């Protein structure tokens, strides 16, 4: 008698689970449909709506692994890491044989990379399991590339993205953009931890530029090698090396204060008349060209560089008049191959943002121009 009752327990449990599931209200009221709707909301950064869609998917099917993964992803974007990790675990356990679910669990951990120290280990574990299930799984390959990219393993990332692009599937477009970024970073050869982090920035600011000049260009080494002149022309750096550096009001206790002081000491970047440095202001291409010009003047001790292209009747660029305040700097940088123009349109795009990867490439060209070997 007791055996009969025990044998009925799993059946009762199954019936209870089924009873707890929400009944669909239409033909499109399915877990799969709501999951796709949730992912569209994620793409639109509407994370609350995404949570509603993903929750509906698991309400309809308590075993729907992707629904839990979607919930984890939405909470990860909302920086609610505790819930994100719980849902990532549920997604991976319920979808342990599904490479799509395992790849989604990896994506959740990648999204938490700025706040979770072990994000790469956790993401890689899920993604490796996904690829073990299906070595040609496009999503798992793409997110493996993303994981390696954000872990500063640029060669490995490039390899994953290349494979995804060659598959010409749903991820090909996104993978192509990431592949080009990885290729650019590999060419730029960031040589410092700071440079590797900056390489991934979509746009840099004045503080970032100070760090890149100090760390990647090794500006301190450059000026240490320059003999101090007692008479005649002195670089701004030589003129200020014995003086106390005034720290700009808005650079005091700023994360980049040390590097900002270096740039001011060497005369590469200035304090504004109001006493501020504006470290968080975005650097555009025209301002970057001006910074490069200033550095070349200091490094070569040739003040004529700053007026070399003044007075040109015909502008070299289709989108910049020769009267532009940064025209000389732009002409200088393009003439020396330090910065590039669009070959088809001859546009310089002076107001365009400078990405971290582009900033590094410009520094490499600047090093070549200065014949720097250190």
């Amino acid at each position: 008698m007791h055996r009969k009752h025990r044998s009925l327990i799993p059946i009762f449990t199954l019936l209870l689970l089924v009873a707890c599931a929400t009944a669909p209200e239409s033909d499109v009221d399915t877990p799969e449909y709501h999951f796709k709707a949730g992912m569209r909301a994620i793409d639109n950064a509407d994370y609350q709506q995404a949570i509603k869609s993903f929750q509906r998917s698991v309400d309809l099917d308590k075993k729907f692994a992707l629904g839990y993964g979607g919930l984890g992803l939405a909470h990860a974007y909302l920086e609610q890491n505790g819930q994100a990790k719980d849902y990532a675990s549920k997604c991976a356990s319920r979808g342990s044989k599904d490479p799509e679910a395992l790849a989604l669990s990896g994506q959740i951990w990648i999204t938490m990379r700025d706040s979770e120290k072990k994000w790469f280990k956790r993401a890689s574990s899920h993604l490796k399991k996904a690829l073990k299930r299906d070595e040609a799984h496009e999503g798992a390959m793409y997110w493996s590339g993303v994981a390696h990219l954000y872990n500063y393993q640029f060669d490995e990332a490039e390899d994953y993205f290349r494979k995804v692009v060659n598959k010409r599937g749903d991820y090909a477009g996104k993978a192509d953009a990431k592949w080009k970024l990885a290729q650019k970073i590999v060419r730029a050869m960031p040589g410092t931890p700071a440079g590797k982090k900056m390489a991934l920035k979509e746009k840099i600011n004045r503080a970032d530029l100070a760090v890149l000049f100090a760390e990647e260009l090794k500006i301190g080494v450059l000026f240490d090698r320059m003999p101090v002149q007692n008479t005649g022309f002195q670089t701004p750096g030589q003129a200020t090396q014995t003086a106390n550096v005034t720290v700009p009001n808005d650079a005091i206790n700023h994360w980049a204060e040390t590097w900002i002081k270096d740039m001011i000491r060497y005369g590469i970047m200035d304090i504004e008349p109001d006493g501020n440095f504006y470290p968080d202001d975005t650097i555009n291409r025209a301002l970057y060209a001006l910074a490069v010009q200033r550095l070349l003047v200091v490094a070569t001790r040739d003040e004529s560089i700053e007026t070399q292209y003044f007075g040109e009747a015909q502008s070299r660029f289709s989108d910049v008049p020769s009267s532009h305040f940064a025209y000389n700097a732009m002409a200088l940088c393009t003439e020396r191959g330090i910065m590039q123009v669009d070959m088809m349109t001859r546009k310089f795009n002076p107001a365009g943002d400078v990405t971290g990867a582009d900033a590094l490439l410009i520094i490499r060209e600047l090093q070549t121009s200065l014949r720097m070997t250190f």
Side-chain angles (χ1 to χ4, degrees):
M1 184 69 178
H2 291 296
R3 289 182 180 178
K4 288 183 179 180
H5 287 309
R6 281 200 297 269
S7 66
L8 291 175
I9 290 175
I11 298 175
F12 291 147
T13 303
L14 179 61
L15 290 173
L16 182 62
L17 288 172
V18 172
C20 291
T22 301
E25 297 180 9
S26 75
D27 291 340
V28 295
D29 188 17
T30 65
E32 293 78 12
Y33 174 83
H34 289 291
F35 173 74
K36 291 179 180 178
M39 293 304 289
R40 287 195 298 272
I42 289 286
D43 290 339
N44 294 326
D46 189 353
Y47 304 123
Q48 295 299 338
Q49 181 58 51
I51 288 174
K52 291 180 181 179
S53 295
F54 294 134
Q55 186 60 55
R56 179 66 178 177
S57 74
V58 297
D59 286 344
L60 290 166
D61 182 355
K62 300 297 182 182
K63 296 182 179 180
F64 187 57
L66 293 177
Y68 293 104
L71 285 167
L73 188 60
H75 284 291
Y77 276 114
L78 291 170
E79 299 182 356
Q80 298 168 347
N81 288 14
Q83 291 167 284
K85 288 187 281 188
D86 286 343
Y87 283 123
S89 179
K90 289 180 180 179
C91 177
S93 62
R94 286 167 170 76
S96 60
K97 296 182 180 180
D98 180 4
E100 190 74 20
L102 292 167
L104 182 54
S105 297
Q107 183 183 351
I108 295 168
W109 279 99
I110 293 170
T111 305
M112 296 188 291
R113 63 187 179 276
D114 291 335
S115 54
E116 293 290 334
K117 291 183 178 180
K118 296 183 179 180
W119 73 268
F120 182 72
K121 180 179 179 180
R122 298 285 189 265
S124 295
S125 175
H126 291 306
L127 293 167
K128 286 177 181 177
K129 290 177 183 177
L131 290 172
K132 188 175 181 180
R133 289 287 176 184
D134 180 0
E135 63 180 12
H137 190 272
E138 190 180 358
M141 291 169 63
Y142 172 78
W143 288 110
S144 293
V146 173
H148 283 87
L149 182 70
Y150 288 124
N151 201 45
Y152 315 123
Q153 297 170 315
F154 303 118
D155 289 314
E156 293 87 343
E158 188 180 352
D159 187 52
Y160 275 113
F161 294 136
R162 175 181 53 78
K163 291 177 181 178
V164 176
V165 169
N166 289 339
K167 290 177 71 66
R168 299 182 180 181
D170 294 338
Y171 284 83
K174 293 193 295 185
D176 186 56
K178 286 286 194 294
W179 186 20
K180 290 176 181 176
L181 173 60
Q183 288 177 315
K184 186 179 290 187
I185 295 172
V186 170
R187 291 201 311 273
M189 299 180 296
T192 65
K196 291 177 181 179
K197 291 180 180 179
M198 294 292 178
L200 293 170
K201 299 198 71 169
E202 294 183 0
K203 54 186 177 182
I204 65 168
N205 55 35
R206 283 172 58 81
D208 297 330
L209 181 58
V211 173
L212 286 171
F213 273 2
E215 297 294 326
E216 286 290 323
L217 191 56
K218 301 180 182 177
I219 203 166
V221 178
L222 172 65
F223 289 126
D224 285 344
R225 291 184 178 184
M226 295 173 61
V228 177
Q229 297 181 358
N230 294 321
T231 60
F233 173 74
Q234 284 193 320
T235 69
Q238 291 168 350
T240 58
Q241 280 176 357
T242 58
N244 291 326
V245 176
T246 300
V247 181
N249 300 328
D250 55 354
I252 297 173
N253 296 324
H254 190 278
W255 67 267
E257 179 180 348
T258 299
W259 295 282
I260 291 170
K261 288 171 65 177
D262 284 343
M263 292 305 103
I264 296 169
R265 177 180 296 109
Y266 293 122
I268 305 303
M269 301 176 76
D270 293 326
I271 302 174
E272 296 299 322
D274 62 2
N276 290 316
F277 183 82
Y278 297 99
D280 301 320
D281 279 8
T282 300
I283 288 284
N284 60 31
R285 283 173 52 82
L287 295 175
Y288 199 116
L290 282 170
V292 170
Q293 175 180 269
R294 185 71 176 276
L295 191 148
L296 286 170
V297 169
V298 173
T300 63
R301 304 173 184 171
D302 183 359
E303 292 179 297
S304 68
I305 287 175
E306 291 185 308
T307 57
Q308 185 175 350
Y309 301 96
F310 274 1
E312 289 189 339
Q314 182 67 38
S315 174
R316 297 164 179 249
F317 316 109
S318 63
D319 60 340
V320 181
S322 57
S323 58
H324 191 282
F325 73 94
Y327 178 80
N328 190 87
M330 290 184 276
L332 174 69
C333 288
T334 54
E335 180 74 18
R336 297 197 179 193
I338 298 170
M339 297 179 73
Q340 306 299 320
V341 297
D342 187 293
M343 297 301 294
M344 296 294 293
T345 64
R346 300 301 300 168
K347 288 184 177 181
F348 185 87
N349 189 21
D353 292 330
V354 179
T355 68
D358 285 333
L360 283 163
L361 282 173
I362 292 169
I363 285 175
R364 295 294 166 254
E365 295 298 340
L366 179 57
Q367 287 177 316
T368 300
S369 179
L370 291 170
R371 293 179 173 82
M372 295 170 63
T373 58
F374 50 89

